[in-house]
Amino acid sequence: MLNKVLIDEMKERVFSANLALPEAGLVKLTWGNVSEIDREAGVIVIKPSGVPYSTMEACHMVVTDLDGEVLEAGLKPSSDLATHVQLYKAFKEINAVVHTHSKHAVMWAQSGREIPAYGTTHADTFYGVVPCTRQLTSEEVASAYELETGKVIVEAFSEKSIDPLAVPGVLVYGHGPFTWGETPQKAVENSIVLDEIAEMACVTEIVNDRIQPIPQYLLDKHFFRKHGTNAYYGQT
């Protein structure tokens, strides 16, 4: 039996977070989606597939179980649902996922390059490089594209021993960015930051083609002043 109050609250948060994507200039047309998970309740709420933001309402958000099986009659979920599900299964601490085709992050994804930490704006949110996955194989694309997209993200974090809480985002080779966070709002914020640092890194390399990432001590200072037990940025 679904908890209607809890579901309605999740729908409102996911709806608001989805609307924040075009407002932030991160999506055009219907190119983006946000989801939220409640592991205790056993549900995921996600944007419906292909519905224009201008006509979308909170009631249109789709409810599924933790395996992505739809629990309410209504619209179809985002086609990227299987990727979100895979991330939730692998990254147990995250509660929301965002996918966009934001211009600057996609430029790096299409280039197949990770984004180096060239400055403190990057370090405030991402503790080191933002990784780029390998290219999916033709077999992976043909068999279960969205599921395999999630798997290749998890693979990249596992092989490079990256903490998904310290680096809350990734580039999927030839595709685009995914970010995540404690809440839908925070996951959207991480998408905004990711696209900003992608643009900054691109221009930085144009201005200085021999630039190196910032030193570890500066990366540490900026990340840990905002994150962790000794963080001191902001109000208590």
Side-chain angles (χ1 to χ4, degrees):
M1 186 73 174
L2 296 176
N3 182 327
K4 187 177 186 308
V5 174
L6 181 146
I7 295 298
D8 286 347
E9 290 175 348
M10 290 181 70
K11 285 183 176 182
E12 285 291 345
R13 288 193 295 269
V14 171
F15 172 62
S16 295
N18 273 290
L19 291 186
L21 297 180
E23 289 173 0
L26 295 179
V27 303
K28 292 181 171 63
L29 302 176
T30 60
W31 305 346
N33 44 75
V34 182
S35 72
E36 181 181 2
I37 190 171
D38 188 311
R39 300 174 196 278
E40 185 176 345
V43 296
I44 294 169
V45 174
I46 192 167
K47 176 184 176 287
S49 178
V51 175
Y53 291 91
S54 60
T55 61
M56 193 169 60
E57 299 178 12
C59 63
H60 294 152
M61 301 302 104
V62 182
V63 183
T64 79
D65 66 15
L66 300 188
D67 292 317
E69 295 297 324
V70 175
L71 298 177
E72 292 182 342
L75 298 173
K76 294 192 303 181
S78 166
S79 57
D80 293 305
L81 172 61
T83 307
H84 291 234
V85 169
Q86 192 64 28
L87 295 179
Y88 288 133
K89 289 183 175 181
F91 302 155
K92 301 295 187 182
E93 302 90 348
I94 70 173
N95 299 318
V97 172
V98 174
H99 172 51
T100 75
H101 287 251
S102 62
K103 184 182 296 184
H104 303 102
V106 167
M107 289 176 183
W108 286 81
Q110 291 181 168
S111 300
R113 287 190 58 193
E114 64 187 19
I115 304 177
Y118 285 137
T120 61
T121 307
H122 182 125
D124 281 341
T125 301
F126 296 93
Y127 188 50
V129 300
V130 176
C132 185
T133 71
R134 64 170 172 82
Q135 184 72 272
L136 273 74
T137 66
S138 61
E139 292 78 13
E140 288 168 333
V141 171
S143 64
Y145 175 55
E146 291 82 9
L147 173 63
E148 296 297 338
T149 297
K151 288 183 176 180
V152 81
I153 293 171
V154 175
E155 174 189 291
F157 276 71
S158 176
E159 288 186 349
K160 299 174 183 179
S161 299
I162 300 173
D163 179 357
L165 294 184
V167 181
V170 68
L171 306 173
V172 177
Y173 194 125
H175 186 172
F178 285 80
T179 62
W180 44 83
E182 296 177 1
T183 65
Q185 179 185 11
K186 187 62 180 176
V188 169
E189 289 177 6
N190 289 336
S191 284
I192 293 170
V193 175
L194 178 55
D195 204 63
E196 286 292 313
I197 64 173
E199 181 180 20
M200 291 175 181
C202 184
V203 178
T204 296
E205 292 189 354
I206 293 172
V207 174
N208 182 354
D209 61 6
R210 291 178 290 181
I211 190 67
Q212 295 297 311
I214 57 174
Q216 186 67 42
Y217 63 83
L218 188 55
L219 179 71
D220 289 347
K221 181 63 177 180
H222 268 261
F223 185 80
F224 290 113
R225 73 175 187 163
K226 285 192 171 184
H227 307 273
T229 56
N230 295 319
Y232 61 88
Y233 177 88
Q235 304 302 312
T236 56

